[in-house]
Amino acid sequence: MDMPTRTTDEVNLGRLNTALGFLVRLAQIKVYEHFFEECGERGLKPGEFSVLWVILHNPGIRQSALGQRLMIKRAHMTKLIRSLEDQDLVSRRIPDDDRRAVEITLTPAARTMVEQAGDWFFAYEDSVGSNLTTAERQQLMVLLQKFTGLD
C-alpha cells in the first residue's frame, strides 16, 4: 500500500503546533536562516556578536558571568573566548584576587569593529518579525523577555 505524498503544508504536526518549546526552536531556526541570508557574508555569527557586544558594554566582565548571562555552557564559552582571542578580538586577564577567574576585554580594534557591526546587526534585528505588526512584535518581545527572565 503506497503512502500518499504530502507537500510541506500538508504535513500534520499534531500537538506539536501548540508545543511552546517546538515553536521557539522553529522560530530560532527561522531567525538564523534569515540572518545568514542577510548578513552571512559579514563573517560574524549571531552568538559571536552577542558575546562581543556584551563585553563591549561590560569591559573586564568575568567569563563565568558572561556565560551565565548569555546561557552559554562553560565548555562552549571557553572555546568561544579562545577563538575570539586567536582572532585578536578579546584579551583575557586573570585577576589577582581570584586566580580561578578570567576577565575579558575587547581589543581596541575589536571595539571599533563591534560598534560598527552593531549598526548592521540591529538594523537586521529590526527586520526580524516583519510579518508581525509593530504591536505584535512588541508583545512578542515582552513575552520572550518574561519567558527568559530578562524582564
Side-chain angles (χ1 to χ4, degrees), residues 85-135:
E85 189 177 36
D86 290 346
Q87 297 173 61
D88 199 34
L89 298 174
V90 301
S91 60
R92 297 188 294 168
R93 184 181 90 76
I94 308 295
D96 292 334
D97 64 329
D98 184 354
R99 305 297 296 161
R100 297 169 297 166
V102 177
E103 296 175 345
I104 309 295
T105 304
L106 295 182
T107 62
R111 194 174 306 113
T112 301
M113 184 268 293
V114 173
E115 288 170 349
Q116 291 171 349
D119 293 340
W120 62 260
F121 183 86
F122 290 109
Y124 159 77
E125 279 294 321
D126 289 342
S127 75
V128 171
S130 59
N131 59 334
L132 302 174
T133 66
T134 302

Side-chain angles (χ1 to χ4, degrees), residues 15-113:
R15 289 186 58 198
L16 279 177
N17 68 350
T18 60
L20 186 57
F22 177 75
L23 293 172
V24 168
R25 180 182 155 273
L26 290 185
Q28 180 186 22
I29 290 168
K30 183 175 182 174
V31 168
Y32 274 39
E33 285 177 349
H34 184 240
F35 176 87
F36 287 110
E37 286 172 11
E38 297 292 317
C39 307
E41 78 282 352
R42 297 185 182 272
L44 193 60
K45 298 174 187 163
E48 292 169 338
F49 174 79
S50 298
V51 167
L52 293 168
W53 185 260
V54 173
I55 296 168
L56 173 69
H57 291 277
N58 301 274
I61 189 170
R62 293 205 171 174
Q63 184 172 320
S64 58
L66 177 63
Q68 288 171 0
R69 186 62 170 148
L70 296 178
M71 299 182 187
I72 299 173
K73 292 179 181 176
R74 183 184 310 232
H76 185 69
M77 179 57 82
T78 300
K79 183 178 173 183
L80 179 57
I81 293 299
R82 210 173 274 139
S83 171
L84 295 173
E85 189 177 36
D86 290 346
Q87 297 173 61
D88 199 34
L89 298 174
V90 301
S91 60
R92 297 188 294 168
R93 184 181 90 76
I94 308 295
D96 292 334
D97 64 329
D98 184 354
R99 305 297 296 161
R100 297 169 297 166
V102 177
E103 296 175 345
I104 309 295
T105 304
L106 295 182
T107 62
R111 194 174 306 113
T112 301
M113 184 268 293

Side-chain angles (χ1 to χ4, degrees), residues 5-17:
T5 303
R6 291 181 174 92
T7 66
T8 304
D9 293 337
E10 296 171 326
V11 175
N12 183 346
L13 297 177
R15 289 186 58 198
L16 279 177
N17 68 350

